[in-house]
Amino acid sequence: MRNVLVLDGVIAECGVLRRTPAGMPALEFSLEHVSRQVEAGIEREVRCEVSALALGDAALAGQAYRPGDSVTLTGFLAARSARHKGLVMHVNTIEKLEGN
């Protein structure tokens, strides 16, 4: 089954690099996304803020970015935890958008 997400946006908040109990680097941040999308044949503006989590190499790469930086994230959606079913984007790659 598919679960792939590519999202452009601006980093709104960025946490501090931490380590999981297993010693893996982890970085939590949020991304503000604004775009125009077509829904039911009508163009509309879409605005949202997405919680994101990067682990391993993606977390190490992510610590180079600051709030206000425009980036492209690729990854997948998952529940925040077994207890909290709210969605969080798990980031596989983070890249600065060209021209920023």
Side-chain angles (χ1 to χ4, degrees), residues 21-87:
M24 182 170 297
L27 182 65
E28 294 184 62
F29 56 99
S30 61
L31 186 80
E32 290 179 352
H33 169 83
V34 179
S35 66
R36 298 208 56 85
Q37 303 295 322
V38 176
E39 181 178 38
I42 300 170
E43 187 175 283
R44 63 177 282 221
E45 183 177 72
V46 174
R47 292 179 172 268
C48 60
E49 187 168 313
V50 176
S51 295
L53 171 65
L55 296 171
D57 290 342
L60 295 174
Q63 67 181 332
Y65 299 99
R66 299 287 175 257
D69 287 345
S70 296
V71 296
T72 298
L73 305 179
T74 59
F76 60 94
L77 294 174
R80 181 164 295 282
S81 69
R83 289 188 199 195
H84 300 95
K85 301 301 180 194
L87 293 176

